[in-house]
Amino acid sequence: MVHNKLTVVVTAVVALMLAAAPARVDAAANITCEQVTNWLTPCISYGVFGGTVAPECCQGIKDLNAAYYTKDDIRAACSCIQQGAAMIPGIDYDRINNIATLCGTSCPYKVYPSTDCSKVV
């Protein structure tokens, strides 16, 4: 019960913080931080607590991958994820970087605090 309440609180806080963030990271990108947040919010619980990756998280990863049209889209999504992850207490970067593989797909970058999203391809 405490685990579920904490997950709800962490999710709500991150959603509010990201809602206050700029809608677009890069004017040339078609992907917005709002979209990235909507797709990946179901992944927060796994990123913090581990356990099983929710099917909604995997669908969000697949939806994000389907939305990439340009390198700018990939870089914008990377930046959004990096900014969002930095606001989540207890996030495990190795765990979040493994989610795509666990969902049977891939991600064109790894997100860490040191990742330079402007250079990902």
Side-chain angles (χ1 to χ4, degrees), residues 5-82:
K5 286 182 182 179
L6 182 58
T7 300
V8 170
V9 170
V10 168
T11 301
V13 168
V14 171
L16 289 172
M17 293 170 95
L18 288 176
R24 288 196 184 268
V25 172
D26 182 334
N30 294 309
I31 294 177
T32 66
C33 284
E34 182 180 3
Q35 290 171 306
V36 174
T37 300
N38 289 336
W39 288 321
L40 302 185
T41 294
C43 302
I44 293 171
S45 180
Y46 177 79
V48 174
F49 302 110
T52 303
V53 178
E56 298 84 4
C57 171
C58 289
Q59 186 59 53
I61 298 280
K62 292 173 184 174
D63 290 345
L64 175 60
N65 283 343
Y68 294 140
Y69 291 106
T70 66
K71 290 179 183 178
D72 287 330
D73 288 334
I74 294 169
R75 292 173 181 147
C78 175
S79 292
C80 292
I81 294 166
Q82 187 178 48

Side-chain angles (χ1 to χ4, degrees), residues 14 43-50 61 77-102 107 109-117:
V14 171
C43 302
I44 293 171
S45 180
Y46 177 79
V48 174
F49 302 110
I61 298 280
C78 175
S79 292
C80 292
I81 294 166
Q82 187 178 48
Q83 292 168 13
M87 292 186 268
I88 302 172
I91 194 75
D92 182 322
Y93 286 91
D94 290 328
R95 196 178 293 141
I96 64 169
N97 283 311
N98 196 38
I99 292 174
T101 301
L102 294 173
C107 182
Y109 47 82
K110 298 288 185 194
V111 176
Y112 291 97
S114 61
T115 300
D116 183 349
C117 291

